Amino acid sequence: MSEPLDGIGELDVLVVGAGFSGIYQLYQFRKLGYSVRIFEAASDLGGVWFNGYPGCRVDSDHPLYQLSLPELWEDFIWKERYPSWRELYDYFQYVDRKLDVKKDVSFNTRVVAAHFDQKTDRWIVTTEDGLIARPRFLVLCVGFASKSYTPAFKGLERFEGICHHTAHWPREDVELTNKRVGVIGTGASGVQIIQEAGPKVAHLTVFQRTPNMTLPMRQKDLDATLQEQQKVLYPSIFRRSKQTGGGFSFERYPKPLFSATPEERFLHWEDLWAQGGFHFTVSNFNDYSMNEDANREVYNFWRDKVRKRIHDPRMQELLAPTIPPHPLGAKRCSLEQSYYEVFNQPNVTLVDLNETDISEVTCKGILTKDGIEHELDVLVLATGFDSLTGGLTQIDIRGVDGVSIAEKWANGVYTNLGMTCANFPNMFFIYGVQAPTAFSNGPTCIEIQGDWVVQCIKHMKENGLTVIYPTPEAEAEWRGVVMNTGYRALINSAKSWYVGANIPGKTIEPLNYTGGVNKYLEIIEGIAKRGYEGFQFKPIIFNRPGRSLNPDPVTLNKVLAGLAEIGMSGIKAIDFKVEVRAYFQGIFFRCYVKWHWWANICQ
Ligand code: NA7
């Protein structure tokens, strides 16, 4: 193992990942004067936007899909309401020019392990190339979709054409024009590549298991002058996004569905449909994601809208079935532009995998159970991700008891606030499991969590605290909150990545906090205000060289529990100031006793 570059060894903070969240952390920690560096596996900034397949674009509305820092939005002009990955890539280059990000990023540096060292209270972080960093704090900003999932299709390695998973699409792109293209999967990635490739390929074969309840994107070019004029509203728009459930500037319709007349419902849906994007789901009636009957009404509206665009009755039934396969919104509704028109083309085949599943991949294409071999030049695997947990569990992260995060989460996820884990001291993660993540606008969630982490570490520095970790009780409590809110929603009725059901063997449970961004913010701010309730700290005093008193968090937990038993309850966190005061009070008391003793002797 070699030592890394000078200065990396004993960092204050190591951030993993250089997408929105990693860059935001770097920027905030730098401002406070911390030594901070990012390790990034790719060769450039952008995280999930570093590369993209044809048609890949964001489905959050302009202007909220960017960082809210005025020094960034003041001068940047976006071209499209829903930017493509290329425009987002350009945005990250612009962010670098503005904030000088890259000087503090080690690219092509994939973190493979992170072990907490109790002797020094630092993380020992190892990269694929054998570099080692020893940061005090580890902030994992790997995104919620960084571990791709490829089903174990028999014979996949035999295919002689070109085959890529959408998450690993080559930057130099792949020629699809006049090719026979097959796409497995109709999630967001499948929908986007199908509508992009459809008009140019020789033949398109779509292998569908579940139809996507897509929403009209209503994409448009943005006018630069208008955009400049609207910037006066941006501070309010960004602040407002943190006050809403979804992290957007719009909210739920404040009424249950059946309390509205059919006319009110119809006109409201028409209005949302015309606005496009997530307006239809985010601003729908406030019970549609909880109440099955209400959801069915929403589905019927959606189905009838979509069917009008599809010519063939068989295609209509496959793409927008009479009976919904699951409640609308229980799987992520993707945004589309010309998705259904593609299925009206004569050169497009839709294979219903429920009727005839994939038997195997052959050297020429895909053989389905009905005995048909679909010959292909290019096979696209739009089969998704081990979302929310996979980004962390694929790294060998081990805390104070030597247990890895993958082992800890094998039978269910335990975190505190979707940012920390008991027995994994000084480790934070952003935009991941048990946070509002997949039910929020990305940058909004990233900033809310990022600010909390920065403030927490600042609090520790100001109070002479070196180590923080949540208690197992706090973790259990947060898990309860996530489960209670999650199981109330209809998301559990679908086999989706929202609940881990897309990965064979993964524990199925709500993986996001579905109580809303605004409520989440209120909770985490309250915990900080109450002195980081549910967390324990270790003060610097335990860390001085030569002192034998250096308890690990597990021992410290036991000591605190013991103190609580003898009546010193209420000790949740060791505060440095309190410690120092107690230390000097102790000296004073001993001096007083000695003086008293001598005074008595000398009498
Ligand atoms: P998704 O949304 O997880 O979609 C994956 C698709 O792949 C989905 O249609 C699956 O069908 C299909 N799939 C998965 N395994 C198989 C097998 N074995 N056979 C056939 N079809 C299969 O991933 P995306 O990349 O589209 O989107 C991920 C999210 O990341 C996206 O929402 C953005 O927010 C970012 P299923 O629905 O399970 O029947």
Side-chain angles (χ1 to χ4, degrees), residues 48 53 59 144-145 149-153 165-167 184-191 207-212 278 326 331-334 353-354 357-358 381-385 387 431 438 495-498 501-502:
V48 76
Y53 48 84
D59 43 19
F144 75 83
Y149 167 62
T150 299
F153 293 122
H165 190 287
T166 45
I184 305 179
T186 50
S189 311
V191 166
F207 300 89
Q208 173 187 280
R209 204 162 59 177
T210 314
N212 195 318
F278 288 141
H326 56 76
K331 279 194 178 190
R332 200 167 203 261
C333 298
S334 309
L353 296 179
N354 300 303
D357 203 357
I358 293 171
L381 301 167
T383 46
F385 299 87
S387 303
Y431 202 44
K495 286 176 74 183
S496 85
W497 58 266
Y498 282 165
N502 63 326

Side-chain angles (χ1 to χ4, degrees), residues 422-591:
N423 292 350
F424 291 78
N426 291 4
M427 182 186 92
F428 300 88
F429 46 92
I430 309 274
Y431 202 44
V433 70
Q434 294 193 346
T437 310
F439 292 87
S440 68
N441 174 49
T444 312
C445 180
I446 281 164
E447 290 189 6
I448 283 173
Q449 292 191 301
D451 288 342
W452 192 91
V453 170
V454 170
Q455 286 310 313
C456 176
I457 292 178
K458 184 167 169 260
H459 165 87
M460 290 175 67
K461 190 172 188 180
E462 285 169 357
N463 291 282
L465 306 166
T466 50
V467 173
I468 179 174
Y469 48 93
T471 63
E473 292 77 21
E475 269 194 341
E477 201 176 313
W478 183 246
R479 182 178 161 81
V481 170
V482 172
M483 297 304 139
N484 283 341
T485 45
Y487 280 121
R488 280 209 301 268
L490 295 173
I491 48 166
N492 304 292
S493 333
K495 286 176 74 183
S496 85
W497 58 266
Y498 282 165
V499 293
N502 63 326
I503 302 297
K506 188 165 171 172
T507 304
I508 299 175
E509 60 180 5
L511 291 173
N512 293 271
Y513 169 71
T514 51
V517 164
N518 42 3
K519 183 70 191 161
Y520 179 76
L521 180 59
E522 190 189 309
I523 293 171
I524 63 173
E525 279 187 346
I527 280 178
K529 276 194 196 119
R530 292 191 295 277
Y532 293 91
E533 185 182 74
F535 287 90
Q536 290 183 333
F537 292 98
K538 183 168 143 188
I540 280 168
I541 200 161
F542 287 136
N543 254 354
R544 288 198 190 133
R547 289 184 77 101
S548 56
L549 194 55
N550 189 20
D552 61 83
V554 176
T555 314
L556 204 55
N557 268 338
K558 285 183 190 153
V559 171
L560 288 172
L563 286 171
E565 262 174 35
I566 58 164
M568 295 176 75
S569 58
I571 299 180
K572 289 270 181 207
I574 294 180
D575 185 289
F576 180 60
K577 282 181 199 155
V578 174
E579 278 295 303
V580 171
R581 203 182 313 130
Y583 179 74
F584 285 111
Q585 277 170 352
I587 292 176
F588 176 77
F589 180 70
R590 279 195 295 276
C591 288

